[in-house]
């Protein structure tokens, strides 16, 4: 039993892209950020109240919740939370049995099935109250006692507890245990049943799911009927917890049931159901069927989890240096919001461990995220024979879903650049219809993959769903991909958009940066258009110029990271410091003739020994040279620091 437990229960993949490389769940687990939600008219809204105890999930104002929903976006950790809960229940009941001196207690072993693995859990009953197989039938052939029948409960007691202790003790004493540490609250449940709804997609009856997914996985054909009757009697008499994972993946039997059902005789059972928000947003689940809703917003300490994952991927001697570099990478690339999702974090960490951090390609990160999400909706594999962007080279799950990708990208672009700004990020079914995303096949793919999410919109007249992309940055990446595939959009639509919104050239910075990694000719054209808008700003608005300076610099680095060494982005206002000297100077070389402002501040004793002078180049230099011969438009020059060499005559504007 211990070997079965260790082999099949406690391991989870390090990366969603490779299920073969796994580690113990309890070693990788990070506490989640869960918030309670309250009913607001016809929908549920998130409160600022953080939930950190199991008791607060199962009870509201001391009243037991019978139907509990935990919603979260794709990869936010819903399945892992349920798996950890099941493990904690095993540990708590095992400890309780060990401390008990009642020799009449007997263990029942059941296998609890998780998405990708099996778990063994155990509970107990007093022998005098334990319903056995004979109590559920009048068949004389089944009247033998539990101690003599082949389906012998006592025979399953011995090895289980050591297996549970072996796998669960690794988390004891961990500082992470402060959140959801009240495992004693789980002792209220005699059984915990873990059901994966995608494995019973057409089944509505929960008891049938338990039989098919759990009992049939443990017992031989001869013993199953007796196990069925035993579990039936226990569920009628005792409090049990049913964990239903993935309501968004469940279709039901096609009748009036919108939720998996428990017959009324199981009135002491509690159901904890995970789902993506769009499933509840459909409005098919009545409020009377919901006792509590919670929102899972990812993990509490993403950098701690990144360190743990890295420890499995790099040599021990390199761990601290690598982890510090990884945190710096996340800050520089502005990926802090993404890594709260354990799925996205694991992809980014594994990418970093393979050396992708050195390239700093955002496009490659987001393409790997697309790979991970697409795989969830359609696991068909096929590679591109050829593709204009090197980022897509070697991908396996994008080519079979290219039609869905193109539809999503078109939707993302038009929502950002054509729709009214208030509808660009949150939109309704009408917007999806414009791009044929309302078709069942396309909408199911978008929702099941997690690229799109949905929630119920409050309305006094009728309920409706509003949609959004999993993250704004994903929408921006898809929009950039659509531009790269349709270059005419820059002149036809984006120019109109920039004329309509004077400061929008800063708002579309992420789209531009992604475009630099996907298609440099498009990026060059768009940079020229954006620079024209930046030049229109007055000298009293230097912050806009500095921000645009950073945008062009990031675009250049993104292009270089994707193998485009010859890129000519347009820029008129230059602000040099010790962190950007070499890369920005490359941009300067192509823009000296149209430069308006040149500010250099490298007040550093040895500025060129600073590794951060270039994220895109390995070049070294002892000084930085500015040739002003062709600077016909230069109006302001400010030079501060060492190792600066100026060539040529400067006659126009102000020299400081």
């Amino acid at each position: 039993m211990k070997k079965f437990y260790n082999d099949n229960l406690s391991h989870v993949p390090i990366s969603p892209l490779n299920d073969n490389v796994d580690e113990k769940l309890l070693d990788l687990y990070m506490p989640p950020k869960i918030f309670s939600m309250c009913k607001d008219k016809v929908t549920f809204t998130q409160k600022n109240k953080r939930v950190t105890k199991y008791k607060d999930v199962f009870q509201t104002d001391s009243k037991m919740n019978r139907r509990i929903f935990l919603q979260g976006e794709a990869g936010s950790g819903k399945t892992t939370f349920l798996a950890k809960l099941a493990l904690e229940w095993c540990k708590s009941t095992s400890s309780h049995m060990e401390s008990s001196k009642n020799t009449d207690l007997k263990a029942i072993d059941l296998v609890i099935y998780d998405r990708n693995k099996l778990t063994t859990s155990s509970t107990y009953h007093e022998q005098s109250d334990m319903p056995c197989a004979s109590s559920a039938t009048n068949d004389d052939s089944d009247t033998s006692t539990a101690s003599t029948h082949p389906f012998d409960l006592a025979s399953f007691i011995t090895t289980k507890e050591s297996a549970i202790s072996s796998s669960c003790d690794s988390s004891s004493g961990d500082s992470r245990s402060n959140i959801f540490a009240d495992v004693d609250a789980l002792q209220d449940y005699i059984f915990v049943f873990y059901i994966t709804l995608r494995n019973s997609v057409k089944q509505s009856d929960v008891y049938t799911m338990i039989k098919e997914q759990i009992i049939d996985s443990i017992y031989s054909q001869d013993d199953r009927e007796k196990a069925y009757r035993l579990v039936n009697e226990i569920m009628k008499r005792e409090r049990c917890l049913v964990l239903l994972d993935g309501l968004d993946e469940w279709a039901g039997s096609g009748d009036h049931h919108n939720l998996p059902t428990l017959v009324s005789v199981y009135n002491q059972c509690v159901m904890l159901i995970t789902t993506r928000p769009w499933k509840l947003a459909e409005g098919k689940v009545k409020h009377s069927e919901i006792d509590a809703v919670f929102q899972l917003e990812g993990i509490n300490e993403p950098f701690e989890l990144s360190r743990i994952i890295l420890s499995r991927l790099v040599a021990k001697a390199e761990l601290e240096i690598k982890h510090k570099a990884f945190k710096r990478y996340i800050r520089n690339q502005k990926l802090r919001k993404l890594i709260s999702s354990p799925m996205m974090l694991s992809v980014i960490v594994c990418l970093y461990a393979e050396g992708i951090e050195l390239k700093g390609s955002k496009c490659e990160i987001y393409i790997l995220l697309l790979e991970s999400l697409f795989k969830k909706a359609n696991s068909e594999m096929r590679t591109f024979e050829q593709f204009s962007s090197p980022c897509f080279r070697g991908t396996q799950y994008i080519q079979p879903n290219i039609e869905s990708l193109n539809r999503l990208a078109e939707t993302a672009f038009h929502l950002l650049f054509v729709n009214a700004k208030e509808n660009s990020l949150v939109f309704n079914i009408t917007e999806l219809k414009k791009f044929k995303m309302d078709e069942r096949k396309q909408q199911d793919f978008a929702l099941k993959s997690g690229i799109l999410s949905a929630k119920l919109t409050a309305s006094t007249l009728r309920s409706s769903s509003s949609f959004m992309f999993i993250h704004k940055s994903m929408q921006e990446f898809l929009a950039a991909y659509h531009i790269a595939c349709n270059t005419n959009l820059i002149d036809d639509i984006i120019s109109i958009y920039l004329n309509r919104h004077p400061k929008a050239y800063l708002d579309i910075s992420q789209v531009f940066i992604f475009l630099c990694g996907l298609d440099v000719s498009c990026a060059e054209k768009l940079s020229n258009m954006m620079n024209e808008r930046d030049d229109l700003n007055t000298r009293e608005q230097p912050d806009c110029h500095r921000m645009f300076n950073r945008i062009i610099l990031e675009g250049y680095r993104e292009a270089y990271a994707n193998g485009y060494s010859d890129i000519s982005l347009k820029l008129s206002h230059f602000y040099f410091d010790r962190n950007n000297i070499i890369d920005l100077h490359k941009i300067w070389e192509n823009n000296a003739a149209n430069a308006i402002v040149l500010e250099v501040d490298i007040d550093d004793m040895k500025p060129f020994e600073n590794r951060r002078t270039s994220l895109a180049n390995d070049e070294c230099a002892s000084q930085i040279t500015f040739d002003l011969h062709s600077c016909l438009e230069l109006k302001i020059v400010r030079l501060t620091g060492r190792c600066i060499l100026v060539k040529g005559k400067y006659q126009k504007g102000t020299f400081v």
Side-chain angles (χ1 to χ4, degrees):
M1 180 66 75
K2 179 178 180 179
K3 183 177 185 303
F4 174 82
Y5 183 91
N6 288 329
D7 288 348
N8 300 289
L9 163 66
S10 58
H11 291 75
V12 293
I14 291 179
S15 169
L17 291 175
N18 188 353
D19 294 338
N20 297 322
V21 181
D22 56 12
E23 286 287 338
K24 287 185 178 181
L25 182 150
L26 294 174
D27 291 342
L28 294 178
Y29 185 79
M30 272 292 143
K33 290 190 294 185
I34 296 178
F35 297 87
S36 60
M37 302 187 74
C38 62
K39 184 178 179 182
D40 182 13
K41 296 182 180 179
V42 299
T43 188
F44 287 87
T45 58
Q46 182 174 316
K47 298 193 294 185
N48 291 327
K49 182 182 178 182
R50 177 90 177 269
V51 178
T52 58
K53 295 182 179 179
Y54 286 121
K55 183 185 72 172
D56 294 332
V57 173
F58 297 126
Q59 296 181 18
T60 302
D61 298 329
S62 299
K63 180 182 177 182
M64 182 65 65
N65 298 319
R66 288 203 60 220
R67 288 193 189 92
I68 307 164
F69 292 82
L70 176 65
Q71 65 177 19
E73 298 297 351
S76 59
K78 302 182 295 295
T79 296
T80 306
F81 178 76
L82 292 193
K84 179 61 158 51
L85 187 154
L87 289 172
E88 292 282 16
W89 174 77
C90 293
K91 182 180 177 181
S92 66
T93 53
S94 176
S95 300
H96 189 80
M97 290 177 65
E98 186 177 348
S99 63
S100 175
K101 301 302 181 182
N102 188 341
T103 58
D104 287 336
L105 294 181
K106 292 196 174 184
I108 304 171
D109 287 342
L110 284 178
V111 174
I112 297 177
Y113 186 70
D114 193 356
R115 278 179 189 265
N116 305 309
K117 48 203 171 290
L118 296 171
T119 173
T120 303
S121 26
S122 161
T123 186
Y124 62 91
H125 258 291
E126 292 187 18
Q127 189 174 17
S128 58
D129 294 334
M130 173 71 77
C132 62
S134 60
S135 67
T137 179
N138 293 323
D139 192 339
D140 292 339
S141 64
D142 292 330
T143 57
S144 58
T145 65
S147 61
T148 59
H149 195 277
F151 183 65
D152 186 356
L153 301 180
S155 66
F156 293 94
I157 299 176
T158 55
T159 60
K160 175 270 311 168
E161 291 183 27
S162 61
I164 292 174
S165 299
S166 173
S167 290
C168 292
D169 286 347
S170 62
S171 63
S172 61
D174 198 315
S175 61
R176 292 172 269 166
S177 62
N178 293 330
I179 301 176
F180 289 101
D182 58 329
V183 295
D184 56 313
L186 304 178
Q187 294 178 10
D188 292 340
Y189 301 99
I190 298 302
F191 271 146
V192 170
F193 300 105
Y194 197 139
I195 299 297
T196 303
L197 287 174
R198 70 176 178 186
N199 291 340
S200 299
V201 67
K202 294 294 185 180
Q203 182 60 252
S204 293
D205 181 58
V206 172
Y207 174 63
T208 303
M209 296 179 190
I210 293 173
K211 291 195 298 183
E212 293 177 351
Q213 290 196 31
I214 300 176
I215 299 176
D216 290 357
S217 298
I218 315 171
Y219 299 109
S220 67
Q221 189 72 40
D222 294 339
D223 292 334
R224 285 175 187 170
E225 288 299 324
K226 298 164 184 63
Y228 293 160
R229 292 194 291 271
L230 178 63
V231 171
N232 175 57
E233 289 299 319
I234 292 172
M235 291 179 69
K236 288 194 292 187
R237 300 182 184 188
E238 306 291 348
R239 180 176 292 171
C240 298
L241 176 61
V242 182
L243 307 177
L244 299 173
D245 189 27
L247 183 64
D248 51 286
E249 299 177 339
W250 177 79
S253 56
D255 54 17
H256 63 284
H257 295 298
N258 296 314
L259 288 173
T261 58
L262 282 169
V263 294
S264 58
V265 71
Y266 302 146
N267 58 8
Q268 294 194 64
C269 292
V270 172
M271 292 195 295
L272 173 54
I273 306 168
T274 66
T275 183
R276 294 183 189 169
W278 68 264
K279 189 65 177 181
L280 292 183
E282 287 183 324
K284 294 181 179 179
V285 180
K286 300 176 183 177
H287 283 188
S288 59
E289 298 175 312
I290 301 174
D291 291 321
V293 181
F294 299 90
Q295 179 73 30
L296 199 162
E297 295 287 356
I299 53 178
N300 192 49
E301 296 290 345
F303 279 126
E304 178 61 23
L305 178 57
S306 71
R307 187 183 187 282
I308 294 172
I309 296 175
L310 271 178
S311 70
R312 272 63 174 177
L313 301 173
V314 302
K316 184 176 181 180
E318 299 178 352
L319 178 59
E320 294 303 324
I321 294 174
K322 289 280 188 180
H323 190 237
K324 289 179 181 178
F326 175 78
K327 291 195 290 185
R328 184 167 59 249
Y329 169 65
I330 293 298
R331 288 193 297 269
N332 291 342
Q333 300 301 323
K334 298 179 175 62
L335 298 173
R336 185 65 175 83
K337 291 182 180 179
L338 277 180
I339 63 172
S340 65
S341 163
M343 179 192 72
M344 292 187 175
L345 173 63
S346 63
V347 172
I348 294 171
V349 172
C350 291
L351 186 66
Y352 163 80
E354 294 175 3
I356 302 301
E357 186 271 341
L358 300 176
K359 294 162 61 176
S361 170
K362 286 187 176 180
C363 287
E364 191 162 4
I365 292 172
Y366 280 78
I367 287 170
L368 281 172
L369 293 177
L370 278 179
E371 278 266 270
S372 176
L373 295 172
F374 280 15
K375 178 184 177 183
K376 292 177 179 292
N378 179 15
S379 58
E380 180 183 353
M381 297 170 61
R382 192 160 62 248
T383 59
F384 288 102
E385 293 184 4
Q386 60 181 11
F387 204 89
S388 58
S389 174
C391 302
F392 288 87
R393 192 178 300 123
T395 58
Q396 295 177 313
Y397 301 100
I398 292 179
Q399 203 282 335
N401 301 300
I402 194 67
E403 181 184 354
S404 296
L405 172 61
N406 291 337
R407 294 271 188 93
L408 286 164
E410 182 182 15
T411 303
F413 173 82
H414 281 270
L415 288 169
L416 286 176
F417 290 96
V418 179
N419 264 32
K421 275 186 170 290
E422 59 269 20
N423 297 323
S424 63
L425 300 179
V426 180
F427 41 94
N428 56 35
I429 192 67
T430 303
E431 302 302 328
L432 295 181
K433 287 180 179 179
K434 295 178 182 178
F435 314 103
K436 298 182 180 179
M437 284 296 299
D438 61 317
E439 295 176 3
R440 177 52 59 184
K441 179 181 177 181
Q442 294 296 335
Q443 191 174 139
D444 282 352
F445 179 88
L447 293 171
K448 288 180 179 180
S449 68
I451 299 292
L452 287 185
S453 64
K455 65 180 181 180
L456 195 65
T457 302
S459 172
T460 56
L461 298 178
R462 65 174 183 271
S463 61
S464 61
S465 294
S466 60
F467 300 85
M468 66 209 72
F469 284 86
I470 183 175
H471 198 275
K472 183 182 178 183
S473 59
M474 180 61 76
Q475 182 177 355
E476 291 167 326
F477 174 77
L478 291 170
Y481 166 79
H482 186 66
I483 297 170
C485 295
N486 302 272
T487 58
N488 61 295
L489 294 174
I490 296 177
D491 289 325
D492 294 347
I493 293 180
I494 297 180
S495 62
I496 297 174
Y497 174 81
L498 293 178
N499 289 334
R500 191 168 69 241
H501 305 288
K503 295 294 180 64
Y505 74 97
L506 298 177
D507 294 341
I508 65 171
S509 61
Q510 290 302 314
V511 175
F512 167 75
I513 293 167
F514 285 133
L515 191 59
C516 289
L518 295 171
D519 189 309
V520 290
S521 61
C522 282
E524 289 170 348
K525 189 173 185 179
L526 182 56
S527 73
N528 187 62
M529 196 174 289
M530 295 167 70
N531 187 66
E532 289 176 358
R533 273 67 181 181
D534 186 62
D535 287 347
L536 295 176
N537 284 323
T538 64
R539 289 175 56 184
E540 286 72 32
Q541 296 176 307
D543 288 345
C544 294
H545 299 314
R546 290 181 181 275
M547 184 177 295
F548 187 61
N549 182 94
R550 291 194 293 270
I551 292 169
I552 293 296
L553 184 62
E554 289 188 40
Y556 170 80
R557 288 170 172 169
E558 180 65 25
Y560 194 93
N562 286 283
Y564 302 117
S565 57
D566 186 19
I567 182 171
S568 181
L569 301 177
K570 189 70 71 174
L571 184 63
S572 300
H573 295 73
F574 287 83
Y575 301 90
F576 286 83
D577 58 42
R578 62 179 182 173
N579 297 321
N580 65 22
I581 301 170
I582 295 177
D583 290 344
L584 192 57
H585 195 266
K586 290 288 186 181
I587 301 172
W588 161 270
E589 290 174 351
N590 293 320
N591 287 274
N594 55 273
I596 297 174
V597 173
L598 172 62
E599 289 194 11
V600 183
D601 185 358
I602 50 173
D603 191 10
D604 193 329
M605 290 299 294
K606 298 180 180 179
F608 295 97
E609 291 184 4
N610 189 334
R611 292 178 57 193
R612 293 174 295 172
T613 56
S614 175
L615 296 180
N617 294 283
D618 296 324
E619 299 179 14
C620 297
S622 59
Q623 63 187 23
I624 184 169
T625 302
F626 294 96
D627 190 342
L628 306 184
H629 280 105
S630 60
C631 297
L632 303 179
E633 302 296 326
L634 198 59
K635 297 179 180 178
I636 298 177
V637 176
R638 293 189 179 96
L639 305 177
T640 304
R642 300 171 176 83
C643 306
I644 305 170
L645 177 63
V646 178
K647 296 169 60 178
K649 295 182 179 180
Y650 175 67
Q651 297 177 341
K652 183 178 181 180
T654 305
F655 198 112
V656 181

